[in-house]
Coordinates of all heavy atoms in Angstrom, one line a residue:
G37 N -23.1 -98.3 -8.3 CA -23.0 -98.6 -6.8 C -21.8 -97.8 -6.3 O -20.7 -97.8 -6.9
T38 N -22.0 -97.2 -5.1 CA -20.9 -96.4 -4.5 C -20.5 -96.9 -3.1 O -21.3 -97.6 -2.5 CB -21.3 -94.9 -4.4 OG1 -22.5 -94.8 -3.7 CG2 -21.4 -94.3 -5.8
A39 N -19.3 -96.6 -2.7 CA -18.9 -96.9 -1.3 C -18.3 -95.6 -0.7 O -17.8 -94.8 -1.4 CB -17.8 -98.0 -1.4
T40 N -18.4 -95.6 0.6 CA -17.9 -94.4 1.3 C -16.5 -94.6 1.8 O -15.9 -95.7 1.6 CB -18.8 -94.0 2.5 OG1 -18.9 -95.2 3.3 CG2 -20.2 -93.6 2.0
G41 N -16.0 -93.7 2.5 CA -14.7 -93.9 3.2 C -13.5 -93.3 2.6 O -13.5 -92.8 1.5
K42 N -12.4 -93.5 3.3 CA -11.1 -92.9 2.8 C -10.6 -93.5 1.5 O -9.9 -92.9 0.7 CB -10.1 -93.0 3.9 CG -10.4 -92.2 5.1 CD -9.1 -91.9 5.9 CE -9.4 -91.0 7.1 NZ -10.0 -89.7 6.7
T43 N -11.0 -94.8 1.3 CA -10.5 -95.5 0.2 C -10.8 -94.8 -1.1 O -10.0 -94.8 -2.1 CB -11.2 -96.9 0.1 OG1 -10.8 -97.6 1.4 CG2 -10.7 -97.8 -1.0
F44 N -12.0 -94.1 -1.2 CA -12.4 -93.5 -2.4 C -12.4 -92.0 -2.4 O -12.8 -91.4 -3.4 CB -13.8 -94.0 -2.8 CG -13.8 -95.5 -3.2 CD1 -14.2 -96.4 -2.2 CD2 -13.4 -95.9 -4.4 CE1 -14.2 -97.8 -2.5 CE2 -13.3 -97.2 -4.7 CZ -13.7 -98.2 -3.8
E45 N -11.7 -91.4 -1.4 CA -11.8 -89.9 -1.3 C -11.1 -89.2 -2.5 O -11.4 -88.1 -2.8 CB -11.3 -89.4 0.0 CG -9.8 -89.7 0.3 CD -9.5 -89.3 1.8 OE1 -10.3 -88.9 2.5 OE2 -8.3 -89.5 2.1
L46 N -10.1 -89.9 -3.1 CA -9.4 -89.3 -4.2 C -10.1 -89.8 -5.5 O -9.9 -89.1 -6.6 CB -7.9 -89.7 -4.3 CG -7.1 -89.3 -3.0 CD1 -5.7 -89.8 -3.1 CD2 -7.1 -87.8 -2.9
A47 N -10.8 -90.9 -5.5 CA -11.3 -91.4 -6.7 C -12.6 -90.6 -7.2 O -12.7 -90.4 -8.4 CB -11.7 -92.9 -6.5
Y48 N -13.4 -90.1 -6.3 CA -14.6 -89.4 -6.7 C -14.3 -88.1 -7.4 O -14.9 -87.9 -8.5 CB -15.6 -89.2 -5.5 CG -16.3 -90.5 -5.1 CD1 -16.1 -91.0 -3.8 CD2 -17.0 -91.2 -6.0 CE1 -16.7 -92.2 -3.4 CE2 -17.6 -92.4 -5.6 CZ -17.5 -92.9 -4.3 OH -18.1 -94.1 -4.0
P49 N -13.4 -87.3 -6.9 CA -13.1 -86.1 -7.7 C -12.5 -86.4 -9.1 O -12.9 -85.8 -10.1 CB -12.0 -85.3 -6.9 CG -12.1 -85.9 -5.5 CD -12.7 -87.3 -5.6
A50 N -11.7 -87.5 -9.2 CA -11.2 -87.9 -10.5 C -12.3 -88.4 -11.4 O -12.4 -88.0 -12.6 CB -10.1 -89.0 -10.3
L51 N -13.2 -89.1 -10.8 CA -14.4 -89.6 -11.6 C -15.2 -88.5 -12.1 O -15.6 -88.4 -13.3 CB -15.2 -90.5 -10.7 CG -16.5 -91.1 -11.3 CD1 -16.2 -91.9 -12.6 CD2 -17.2 -92.0 -10.3
V52 N -15.5 -87.5 -11.3 CA -16.3 -86.3 -11.7 C -15.6 -85.6 -12.8 O -16.2 -85.2 -13.9 CB -16.6 -85.4 -10.5 CG1 -17.1 -84.1 -11.0 CG2 -17.5 -86.1 -9.5
N53 N -14.2 -85.5 -12.7 CA -13.5 -84.8 -13.8 C -13.6 -85.6 -15.1 O -13.8 -85.0 -16.2 CB -12.0 -84.7 -13.4 CG -11.8 -83.5 -12.5 OD1 -12.7 -82.6 -12.4 ND2 -10.8 -83.5 -11.7
F54 N -13.4 -86.9 -15.0 CA -13.5 -87.7 -16.3 C -14.9 -87.6 -16.9 O -15.0 -87.4 -18.1 CB -13.2 -89.2 -16.0 CG -11.8 -89.5 -15.8 CD1 -11.3 -90.2 -14.7 CD2 -10.8 -89.1 -16.7 CE1 -10.0 -90.5 -14.5 CE2 -9.5 -89.4 -16.6 CZ -9.0 -90.1 -15.4
L55 N -15.9 -87.6 -16.1 CA -17.3 -87.5 -16.6 C -17.5 -86.1 -17.2 O -18.2 -86.0 -18.2 CB -18.3 -87.8 -15.6 CG -18.3 -89.3 -15.1 CD1 -19.2 -89.5 -13.9 CD2 -18.7 -90.2 -16.2
K56 N -16.9 -85.1 -16.6 CA -17.1 -83.7 -17.1 C -16.5 -83.6 -18.5 O -16.9 -82.7 -19.3 CB -16.6 -82.7 -16.2 CG -17.5 -82.5 -15.0 CD -17.3 -81.2 -14.3 CE -18.5 -81.0 -13.3 NZ -18.0 -80.5 -12.0
E57 N -15.5 -84.4 -18.8 CA -14.8 -84.3 -20.1 C -15.7 -85.0 -21.2 O -15.3 -85.0 -22.3 CB -13.5 -85.1 -20.0 CG -12.4 -84.3 -19.3 CD -11.2 -85.1 -19.0 OE1 -11.1 -86.3 -19.4 OE2 -10.3 -84.6 -18.2
M58 N -16.8 -85.5 -20.7 CA -17.7 -86.2 -21.7 C -19.1 -85.5 -21.6 O -20.1 -86.1 -21.2 CB -17.9 -87.7 -21.4 CG -16.6 -88.4 -21.5 SD -16.8 -90.2 -21.3 CE -16.4 -90.4 -19.6
P59 N -19.2 -84.3 -22.1 CA -20.5 -83.6 -22.0 C -21.7 -84.2 -22.7 O -22.8 -84.1 -22.4 CB -20.2 -82.2 -22.5 CG -18.9 -82.3 -23.2 CD -18.2 -83.4 -22.7
D60 N -21.3 -85.0 -23.7 CA -22.4 -85.7 -24.5 C -23.1 -86.8 -23.6 O -24.1 -87.3 -24.0 CB -21.8 -86.3 -25.8 CG -20.6 -87.2 -25.6 OD1 -19.9 -87.0 -24.6 OD2 -20.4 -88.1 -26.4
L61 N -22.5 -87.1 -22.5 CA -23.1 -88.1 -21.6 C -24.3 -87.5 -20.8 O -25.2 -88.2 -20.4 CB -22.1 -88.7 -20.6 CG -21.3 -89.9 -20.9 CD1 -20.6 -90.4 -19.7 CD2 -22.1 -90.9 -21.6
E62 N -24.2 -86.2 -20.6 CA -25.2 -85.6 -19.7 C -26.7 -85.9 -20.0 O -27.4 -86.3 -19.0 CB -24.9 -84.1 -19.6 CG -25.3 -83.5 -18.2 CD -24.9 -82.1 -18.1 OE1 -23.7 -81.8 -18.1 OE2 -25.8 -81.3 -17.9
P63 N -27.1 -85.8 -21.2 CA -28.5 -86.1 -21.5 C -28.9 -87.6 -21.1 O -30.0 -87.9 -20.9 CB -28.7 -85.9 -23.0 CG -27.5 -85.1 -23.4 CD -26.4 -85.4 -22.4
L64 N -27.8 -88.4 -21.0 CA -28.1 -89.9 -20.8 C -28.2 -90.2 -19.3 O -28.5 -91.3 -18.9 CB -27.0 -90.7 -21.4 CG -26.8 -90.5 -22.9 CD1 -25.7 -91.4 -23.4 CD2 -28.1 -90.9 -23.7
Y65 N -27.8 -89.2 -18.4 CA -27.9 -89.4 -17.0 C -29.2 -89.8 -16.5 O -29.4 -90.3 -15.4 CB -27.3 -88.2 -16.2 CG -25.9 -88.0 -16.3 CD1 -25.3 -86.7 -16.1 CD2 -25.0 -89.0 -16.7 CE1 -23.9 -86.5 -16.2 CE2 -23.6 -88.8 -16.8 CZ -23.1 -87.6 -16.5 OH -21.7 -87.4 -16.6
Q66 N -30.3 -89.5 -17.2 CA -31.6 -89.9 -16.8 C -31.7 -91.4 -16.7 O -32.6 -92.0 -16.0 CB -32.7 -89.4 -17.8 CG -32.4 -89.8 -19.2 CD -33.5 -89.3 -20.1 OE1 -34.5 -88.8 -19.7 NE2 -33.2 -89.4 -21.4
N67 N -30.8 -92.1 -17.3 CA -30.7 -93.6 -17.3 C -29.8 -94.1 -16.3 O -29.4 -95.3 -16.3 CB -30.3 -94.1 -18.7 CG -31.3 -95.1 -19.2 OD1 -32.2 -95.5 -18.6 ND2 -31.0 -95.5 -20.5
L68 N -29.3 -93.2 -15.4 CA -28.2 -93.5 -14.5 C -28.7 -93.4 -13.0 O -29.3 -92.4 -12.7 CB -27.0 -92.6 -14.7 CG -25.9 -92.7 -13.7 CD1 -25.1 -94.0 -13.8 CD2 -24.8 -91.6 -13.9
T69 N -28.5 -94.4 -12.3 CA -28.8 -94.4 -10.8 C -27.5 -94.5 -10.0 O -26.8 -95.5 -10.2 CB -29.8 -95.5 -10.4 OG1 -31.0 -95.4 -11.2 CG2 -30.1 -95.5 -9.0
I70 N -27.3 -93.5 -9.2 CA -26.1 -93.6 -8.2 C -26.7 -94.3 -7.0 O -27.7 -93.8 -6.5 CB -25.6 -92.2 -7.8 CG1 -25.4 -91.3 -9.1 CG2 -24.4 -92.3 -6.9 CD1 -24.2 -91.8 -9.9
A71 N -26.1 -95.4 -6.5 CA -26.8 -96.1 -5.4 C -25.7 -96.3 -4.3 O -24.8 -97.1 -4.5 CB -27.4 -97.4 -5.9
Q72 N -25.9 -95.7 -3.2 CA -24.9 -96.0 -2.1 C -25.3 -97.3 -1.4 O -26.5 -97.5 -1.1 CB -25.0 -94.8 -1.1 CG -24.3 -95.0 0.2 CD -22.8 -95.5 0.1 OE1 -22.1 -95.2 -0.9 NE2 -22.4 -96.3 1.0

Side-chain angles (χ1 to χ4, degrees):
T38 56
T40 55
K42 294 202 171 305
T43 303
F44 292 100
E45 66 187 1
L46 302 175
Y48 288 118
L51 176 57
V52 168
N53 281 339
F54 283 127
L55 293 172
K56 285 203 170 136
E57 285 166 11
M58 297 187 266
D60 53 333
L61 271 195
E62 212 173 294
L64 305 177
Y65 287 158
Q66 56 180 347
N67 232 354
L68 174 66
T69 302
I70 311 291
Q72 169 52 28

